[in-house]
Amino acid sequence: MRRFPAARPALAATTPLVSALAATALLLTGCGTTPADGGRTGTDGTPAALPSGTPIDDPGKDGVRVVSLTPPPAPPSSSPSPSPSRPYAVHADPLPTALAGAGTSAAYEVVNKGPVALTYTVVITFTNEDGGAMDNQRVTVRDVAPGKTVRGTVQAQAFTPRVTGAKVTTVTKVPASEAPAEVGTCPASGIRIGADDGNAAMGLRVVGLRLDNCGTRDYTVEGYPLLELLDSRREPVDGVRILHGSGEITTGLGPDEPPRRVTLRPGESATAALAWRNTTESGTPVNVPYVRVRAKAGAGPVTVTPHLDLGTTGKLGVTPWKKAGQQAASGGSRPGS
């Protein structure tokens, strides 16, 4: 009697494709910014080793630079894979070009040459061969001690094989003791302050401030956030009037209201707003990258980075604290920068 080979499971014919897609899923899952503690120096002060990659000639900014670029793994081959023990060939369809280019990563280093521990917020731009921006990634590197070097990596999320370079485009750094709280954490004070990314329209700028009670006790504020305007060296900026209310700036935020006593139970939040115009006439435009904020007199400061482009107007409006429309989950809201 003539015997025929036993039928093989259908899954065997698709196994290479399944593996290829699984590898791609792992690449996509890894996209995003580097964790705050990723790549930092060890307890003995020895810098962590950099991943292998192509060196990058990036002059950097403020002690931060990109040092190398690592392309994504090559996509699986689409050629047939015959097996001598099988009467048929296994073929995996090629992955889409976009997915094949995902996973390009840049290695960076942060060197703190200052006298105090700093928290850095860095924007790294991935570029193509013509120098055009393909993707921007923001990285926060916390608590870099004086004289220390911290290293880490960040991945591009632009799913394209055209990423050929990377550079540092923006750096802000604040004393670690005044940095906005990390996502999902609550400071010892029980109060978390942050700023949003702001809105701009026809020269009008508005940035929101948020005060979260992430602690276990009620917290009361009455009046306006206390502000200090700081330049790029975090020195006080002179010649700018801080106005109580936004009426002199715009009517878009509604009529000015007198401040009221606001008591926040645990999990509740209050908001305020900074408003200005970037009109430029005669004189030298004033830019304020940093604003030191206190919820009230005697409260600890938090330095946010709204980058106020005040033009030559010489004034900034601030609205009073008012209770937010919905509660903030304790320990969970993103403070912004």
Side-chain angles (χ1 to χ4, degrees):
M1 179 183 295
R2 184 178 179 182
R3 297 182 179 274
F4 294 92
R8 298 183 182 274
L11 180 61
T14 60
T15 300
L17 177 58
V18 171
S19 299
L21 294 177
T24 302
L26 288 175
L27 284 175
L28 295 179
T29 303
C31 291
T33 57
T34 305
D37 59 352
R40 69 174 55 251
T41 53
T43 54
D44 60 353
T46 303
L50 284 170
S52 58
T54 303
I56 294 291
D57 184 18
D58 175 26
K61 293 185 177 183
D62 294 332
V64 185
R65 67 187 184 101
V66 174
V67 295
S68 67
L69 190 73
T70 301
S77 173
S78 61
S79 59
S81 303
S83 171
S85 63
R86 299 179 181 179
Y88 51 82
V90 177
H91 176 78
D93 292 334
L95 292 173
T97 302
L99 296 182
T104 300
S105 62
Y108 62 86
E109 69 176 18
V110 179
V111 181
N112 183 0
K113 299 179 181 180
V116 299
L118 297 172
T119 288
Y120 293 75
T121 300
V122 181
V123 175
I124 293 177
T125 299
F126 290 86
T127 60
N128 59 19
E129 60 184 4
D130 296 324
M134 302 299 295
D135 188 34
N136 291 318
Q137 289 295 311
R138 178 181 294 182
V139 181
T140 298
V141 185
R142 294 182 176 273
D143 302 327
V144 182
K148 297 298 182 180
T149 297
V150 173
R151 291 169 173 165
T153 58
V154 60
Q155 275 193 336
Q157 291 186 351
F159 301 144
T160 169
R162 293 182 294 164
V163 172
T164 60
K167 60 184 179 181
V168 173
T169 51
T170 304
V171 176
T172 56
K173 51 188 179 181
V174 302
S177 60
E178 297 182 11
E182 189 173 4
V183 176
T185 66
C186 186
S189 65
I191 297 301
R192 183 174 51 230
I193 293 178
D196 63 25
D197 292 332
N199 293 305
M202 297 182 66
L204 174 65
R205 309 284 196 260
V206 179
V207 166
L209 298 178
R210 187 177 183 92
L211 169 64
D212 297 329
N213 182 355
C214 55
T216 58
R217 299 179 179 180
D218 289 355
Y219 190 82
T220 299
V221 290
E222 183 175 3
Y224 302 85
L226 304 180
L227 309 178
E228 295 179 72
L229 308 185
L230 307 176
D231 63 17
S232 59
R233 296 178 296 177
R234 299 190 304 280
E235 297 290 337
V237 174
D238 297 323
V240 177
R241 290 185 299 145
I242 298 177
L243 309 174
H244 284 174
S246 59
E248 288 191 38
I249 308 295
T250 179
T251 58
L253 299 181
D256 288 338
E257 298 180 357
R260 295 181 174 87
R261 184 180 180 88
V262 177
T263 297
L264 303 176
R265 294 189 296 272
E268 292 186 328
S269 302
T271 60
L274 307 180
W276 73 98
R277 292 190 180 275
N278 72 334
T279 306
T280 300
E281 296 177 346
S282 60
T284 302
V286 175
N287 294 305
V288 179
Y290 301 96
V291 178
R292 182 177 287 135
V293 183
R294 288 179 170 83
K296 61 182 180 180
V302 174
T303 299
V304 297
T305 55
H307 296 278
L308 311 179
D309 54 342
L310 300 177
T312 56
T313 61
K315 55 187 178 182
L316 171 70
V318 57
T319 63
W321 290 119
K322 64 179 181 180
K323 187 171 291 189
Q326 58 184 148
Q327 292 186 344
S330 178
S333 70
R334 187 182 184 94
S337 59

